[in-house]
Amino acid sequence: MRFKGFSRRRFAKIAAWSVFGISARPSTAAANAASGFAKAKFANFPDNFLWGTATSAYQVEGAINEDGRGASIWDRFTHLKGKIIDQSTADIANDHYHRYKGDVQLIKELGARAYRFSIAWPRVFPEGTGTPNPKGLDFYNRLVDELLANGIEPFVTLYHWDLPQALQDRYGGWRSRDTSQAFADYAGYVAERISDRVKSIFTINECARLVQAGFGTAIDAPGLSLPQKEINQVRHHVALGHGLAVQAIRAHARSGTRVGPAENMEICIPAIETPANVRAAEIATREFNAGYLTAILEGKYTDGFLAYAGADAPTFTPEDLKAISSPIDFVGLNVYMPNHYVIAGENGEGFFPLPFAATYPHMDSNWLRIGPEAMYWAPRHVAKLWNVKSIYITENGTSAADRLSGDGKIYDVDRIMYLRNYLTQLQRATSEGIPVEGYFVWSLMDNFEWSDGYEKRFGLYHVDFKTQRRTPKLSASFYQEVVKRNAVA
């Protein structure tokens, strides 16, 4: 039985509060304290802080056979039996290729001023090299123009894992330095044609994952399990591709174009914030990222990395390292979880990584361990270790079960919990002067989540993949309020 919207259970609860002299409505003082908690602890984000959202080409575009697009390694991979959990493909995905104008309006509704998206290499060069496909780049020109017309700044990623299948067949993909050079040629071509409107370009997204999952564990395309020496060589070729692409962009883009990587670095956190443990976390960060981010920012592989790799170390030249460390303008960091909690150790390495207990909490995705402090320590380490002056959080977000309620809405309070706590730690970072200039929530809308298919949902907007209807979740309102306040809501 219900009484004017109150269930019997809720009525009893209110009655119980009254017995103890507790009002069902919080006091004005309590409400003010709650609303001002984050502000009391940390200063607001900087006035020019850039709030954005993100997607990637293969995960949302669909239209894999339209307008001259060539096949990618993910097209091949998703059509192999047993590779994707729900046996789905991204042949249609979110149909963003045809619905991009409506999706731009979703970004605008959030109040976000930036959108990070990727360009599909096989749309522009169907064979990876050779004759470009003008219709492929035309789509991205239309998207960029639509964003700018709505006051949204485009941030472009050149490689978000969709390697042209032709390069995989011809060279073995990233197993060959020929692919590194092909990537640079593609990067220079695109930069020359979009840098009149696009001022910020990310080279490669998540080297760490694309190498290990694609060439080590085989859970991502191209689905290989190589010996460790070959994995290290693949990583070197990806790093080289980044460096050569930076050089190509400098040579072909308009003056003032900014460029950098977007990496899911190994995030090392002091288990207890003592000076010794903080230093241990810094040492661990440098070593655990030695194969890519450290090499980019220092121009060398660390002695520890080469000693640990031994005979499995990659083959490289001084010219390679010079290219890899070509000067960059910013570092993008994809921050989801802590990779290691560390303490100071007397083991000769200066740090000791601690094991994760079986009870350590995680989100809907089992791999996504909850550790909001990762959002503070990741940019702090990058700024402190390598004197980086410009950092973007290029991805952060979480999957959630996202069940439709009886009123047709999605009250994803778990996602809000996750975002609120991570953003509080980011607000801590910027209040201390750590140079984070912007944040891109992952993701704008539910999409094809690689080997998870459509089983995991990360979006602020729910997508019905049968009808392509987009519906805002409660987290969209939360993020909208964060953007409006320029502070944690």
Side-chain angles (χ1 to χ4, degrees):
M1 182 175 179
R2 292 182 175 271
F3 304 90
K4 295 183 180 180
F6 286 89
S7 67
R8 180 173 288 163
R9 179 178 295 177
R10 186 176 178 195
F11 181 83
K13 189 174 185 179
I14 293 172
W17 286 339
S18 300
V19 168
F20 290 96
I22 301 172
S23 170
R25 175 176 292 182
S27 68
T28 301
N32 289 342
S35 65
F37 177 76
K39 290 184 179 180
K41 192 171 184 180
F42 306 123
N44 281 14
F45 288 94
D47 290 341
N48 59 348
F49 194 80
L50 194 65
W51 294 101
T53 186
T55 63
S56 85
Y58 191 72
Q59 293 179 269
V60 299
E61 286 180 1
I64 64 168
N65 295 312
E66 292 190 35
D67 292 334
R69 177 189 180 275
S72 79
I73 55 174
W74 274 93
D75 296 321
R76 174 79 58 86
F77 188 75
T78 58
H79 284 265
L80 297 175
K81 185 177 180 179
K83 296 298 184 182
I84 308 303
I85 287 177
D86 59 3
Q87 305 301 310
S88 63
T89 72
D91 293 1
I92 299 174
N94 299 59
D95 196 28
H96 176 69
Y97 192 78
H98 300 111
R99 300 170 185 264
Y100 70 92
K101 287 188 177 182
D103 292 338
V104 169
Q105 292 306 307
L106 301 182
I107 302 169
K108 191 173 183 178
E109 288 172 13
L110 294 173
R113 295 189 296 111
Y115 178 48
R116 177 182 173 234
F117 63 94
S118 73
I119 290 177
W121 185 351
R123 282 203 193 280
V124 182
F125 287 93
E127 298 299 316
T129 59
T131 304
N133 170 35
K135 289 186 177 180
L137 199 55
D138 283 350
F139 167 70
Y140 299 105
N141 281 320
R142 294 194 299 272
L143 175 58
V144 166
D145 290 344
E146 186 71 16
L147 290 166
L148 292 173
N150 284 276
I152 300 166
E153 184 177 353
F155 281 67
V156 164
T157 304
L158 292 175
Y159 186 73
H160 202 125
W161 308 351
D162 44 359
L163 184 77
Q165 182 64 45
L167 294 182
Q168 187 66 35
D169 295 339
R170 192 183 317 152
Y171 301 135
W174 292 108
R175 298 172 77 175
S176 169
R177 60 192 300 126
D178 289 325
T179 296
S180 307
Q181 185 58 58
F183 177 64
D185 294 341
Y186 150 69
Y189 177 85
V190 171
E192 185 174 4
R193 287 156 180 80
I194 67 170
S195 58
D196 58 329
R197 291 152 296 148
V198 175
K199 302 304 179 185
S200 301
I201 297 175
F202 298 99
T203 53
I204 294 174
N205 181 77
E206 291 191 3
C207 168
R209 169 157 174 179
L210 80 89
V211 172
Q212 189 58 37
F215 298 87
T217 61
I219 64 173
D220 283 356
L224 302 177
S225 296
L226 301 178
Q228 189 59 49
K229 182 174 180 61
E230 291 190 52
I231 293 173
N232 286 337
Q233 195 65 50
V234 166
R235 184 181 294 106
H236 175 74
H237 290 151
V238 173
L240 180 61
H242 155 82
L244 294 175
V246 171
Q247 294 179 349
I249 292 166
R250 299 279 187 231
H252 294 278
R254 297 283 184 100
S255 176
T257 303
R258 304 171 72 222
V259 61
E263 178 64 348
N264 58 329
M265 65 180 287
E266 293 280 310
I267 302 172
C268 303
I269 297 173
I272 305 171
E273 290 187 25
T274 65
N277 289 339
V278 169
R279 180 57 188 151
E282 292 170 352
I283 296 169
T285 296
R286 182 171 178 267
E287 290 299 336
F288 278 124
N289 292 283
Y292 189 68
L293 197 57
T294 304
I296 289 173
L297 295 169
E298 295 186 17
K300 63 181 180 180
Y301 291 120
T302 68
D303 293 340
F305 170 76
L306 293 176
Y308 181 79
D312 291 333
T315 300
F316 59 91
T317 68
E319 290 74 21
D320 288 352
L321 294 177
K322 185 177 180 180
I324 288 169
S325 59
S326 297
I328 55 178
D329 300 294
F330 51 73
V331 171
L333 299 175
N334 294 358
V335 178
Y336 288 94
M337 63 179 184
N339 297 96
H340 310 278
Y341 286 96
V342 302
I343 56 175
E346 297 180 0
N347 53 1
E349 295 181 351
F351 64 91
F352 183 75
L354 303 176
F356 282 91
T359 54
Y360 194 95
H362 61 79
M363 297 301 291
D364 182 51
S365 298
N366 288 337
W367 58 266
L368 211 171
R369 296 186 290 260
I370 305 169
E373 59 271 32
M375 187 63 88
Y376 170 79
W377 288 102
R380 186 186 191 275
H381 288 328
V382 170
K384 172 80 180 296
L385 285 170
W386 297 297
N387 197 32
V388 173
K389 301 298 186 183
S390 176
I391 298 169
Y392 290 96
I393 304 302
T394 36
E395 289 182 25
N396 170 248
T398 183
S399 58
D402 290 345
R403 300 288 184 255
L404 286 165
S405 63
D407 59 6
K409 297 181 180 179
I410 295 174
Y411 300 106
D412 53 338
V413 292
D414 48 353
R415 182 175 286 107
I416 292 173
M417 174 277 297
Y418 176 95
L419 292 173
R420 177 184 288 122
N421 282 283
Y422 276 70
L423 287 171
T424 297
Q425 289 294 316
L426 184 60
Q427 197 166 327
R428 173 191 178 190
T430 57
S431 70
E432 293 181 10
I434 296 170
V436 181
E437 297 184 3
Y439 169 92
F440 297 82
V441 65
W442 186 271
S443 61
L444 172 64
M445 53 188 166
D446 298 335
N447 53 41
F448 180 81
E449 280 297 333
W450 309 111
S451 58
D452 284 326
Y454 300 101
E455 291 291 300
K456 300 299 180 184
R457 293 176 175 268
F458 279 76
L460 298 182
Y461 289 87
H462 177 271
V463 178
D464 182 328
F465 290 101
K466 293 181 179 178
T467 65
Q468 293 295 339
R469 182 183 179 189
R470 280 80 154 134
T471 304
K473 304 174 188 177
L474 189 61
S475 57
S477 297
F478 168 78
Y479 191 58
Q480 186 179 55
E481 190 66 25
V482 169
V483 173
K484 185 187 303 181
R485 295 186 192 185
N486 201 36
V488 177

